[in-house]
Amino acid sequence: MTDRAPSVFSRIIAREIPADVVFESEHVIAFKDIAPQAPVHLLVVPKTEAYANVAELAAGDPALLAEVVATASSLAAEHADGDYRLIFNTGAGAGQTVFHVHAHVLAGGLTEGTLAQL
Ligand code: 5GP
């Protein structure tokens, strides 16, 4: 048990908040970002909210991190041409607003030199 309220992503997983879900497995869910910053902007989210960021996930469950990356890769092939940018904002100073680890998958006509804008 935790005394924290469920994260917004846990509420999406529980179908308490609607989302445009594009993939779901036993351990991972993926849906469209509500405020897209690229032609394709998906979030890949472990169903557990035990890990706040990618470093915690890598240390605590590397197989789950590998599933997040593999899911991102196949979704980029399905929704774009297979090329993609994978971003894990880590810490408020880096723009993280939801402290339930998630990968941003950006794809579909990305331009060079925009890396710092998300
Ligand atoms: P962060 O800033 O933590 O790296 O990323 C959080 C992302 O979650 C943001 O890009 C934001 O647009 C997205 N987001 C926040 N709330 C919701 C929501 O209720 N639904 C969806 N689909 N995306 C959300």
Side-chain angles (χ1 to χ4, degrees):
M1 273 299 278
T2 165
D3 56 4
R4 285 180 304 159
S7 74
V8 63
F9 296 155
S10 288
R11 299 188 65 205
I12 286 172
I13 291 161
R15 299 319 199 255
E16 294 170 10
I17 296 175
D20 197 340
V21 174
V22 296
F23 176 80
E24 187 164 15
S25 71
E26 184 181 354
H27 302 295
V28 164
I29 192 168
F31 47 88
K32 295 183 180 176
D33 196 292
I34 203 169
Q37 298 190 41
V40 175
H41 186 171
L42 305 173
L43 299 175
V44 183
V45 185
K47 288 187 171 177
T48 173
E49 63 174 43
Y51 308 106
N53 60 54
V54 67
E56 287 186 11
L57 178 59
D61 193 341
L64 183 54
L65 174 58
E67 185 175 343
V68 168
V69 173
T71 300
S73 194
S74 43
L75 287 172
E78 187 182 331
H79 291 264
D81 64 1
D83 293 345
Y84 60 96
R85 186 172 295 159
L86 197 58
I87 296 176
F88 293 88
N89 291 329
T90 304
Q96 187 175 7
T97 57
V98 179
F99 293 86
H100 174 160
V101 62
H102 54 281
H104 294 260
V105 184
L106 304 181
L110 302 176
T111 50
E112 288 287 335
T114 60
L115 189 59
Q117 291 180 9
L118 184 80

